[in-house]
Amino acid sequence: MIHYEDLAVGDTVELGPTSASADEMIAFAKRYDPQPFHLSDEGAANTYFGRLAASGWHTAALTMRLMMTGRDEPLASLGSPGFENLRWRKPVYPDDQLIAQVRVASKRVSESRPEMGLVQFEVETRNQDDVVVMSFVSTSMIARREPG
């Protein structure tokens, strides 16, 4: 397990790749984001996307999976109070290869719960052409190895 003490401000890791097929994108969209451009090439043909594109929420879910399972050891995560500045910068298309670059931006021990620290991660998800498709800042609650 990677604990609070194992993370230093400035640490950066690249996680991935991961991808989603057209069928996976459509299944996600049918369940969670049924906009026409997420459901078919035909529905996307006359839009900004031009063809089937992943829901931004699907891209966020793929990135979250990389953040939780993409390391040799898992983070000692205790959840998250939220994130900021979520931006979907470019479309994600079927079978794009996505890599998440995660940087520790700040960290501090929780005043009210000394068994954990709060770590801010700056996250950029890039495609196979090194184009940023999504970015956000996440605050994570990470268990301390030696609380208090």
Side-chain angles (χ1 to χ4, degrees):
M1 278 282 182
I2 298 171
H3 290 83
Y4 174 82
E5 294 85 351
D6 302 320
L7 299 168
V9 172
D11 284 352
T12 303
V13 63
E14 285 195 357
L15 307 170
T18 192
S19 64
S21 68
D23 289 344
E24 291 169 319
M25 289 179 179
I26 292 166
F28 185 97
K30 281 181 179 177
R31 185 155 186 185
Y32 301 109
D33 192 359
Q35 298 181 75
F37 40 85
H38 298 322
L39 296 170
S40 70
D41 282 331
E42 297 75 26
N46 295 317
T47 70
Y48 161 79
F49 302 102
R51 61 188 171 108
L52 176 70
S55 165
W57 297 113
H58 193 177
T59 303
L62 291 166
T63 300
M64 186 66 197
R65 184 178 67 205
L66 287 175
M67 290 178 68
M68 292 295 93
T69 66
R71 301 170 187 256
D72 292 336
E73 297 180 64
L75 283 174
S77 175
L78 300 172
S80 173
F83 58 93
E84 302 169 18
N85 300 319
L86 174 64
R87 300 287 183 266
W88 292 299
R89 299 184 180 276
K90 295 289 180 182
V92 172
Y93 296 108
D95 302 314
D96 277 358
Q97 297 296 303
L98 303 179
I99 293 175
Q101 183 179 60
V102 181
R103 180 181 167 277
V104 177
S106 68
K107 62 181 270 192
R108 67 178 176 83
V109 173
S110 170
E111 293 176 17
S112 61
R113 297 187 57 199
E115 70 275 10
M116 70 177 190
L118 297 168
V119 179
Q120 254 196 349
F121 294 105
E122 293 174 344
V123 181
E124 285 189 340
T125 304
R126 298 173 178 267
N127 67 16
Q128 65 278 354
D129 299 319
D130 203 33
V131 172
V132 176
V133 298
M134 184 183 72
S135 61
F136 61 91
V137 176
S138 171
T139 301
S140 295
M141 300 178 294
I142 306 293
R144 293 180 68 200
R145 183 178 289 110
E146 301 170 16

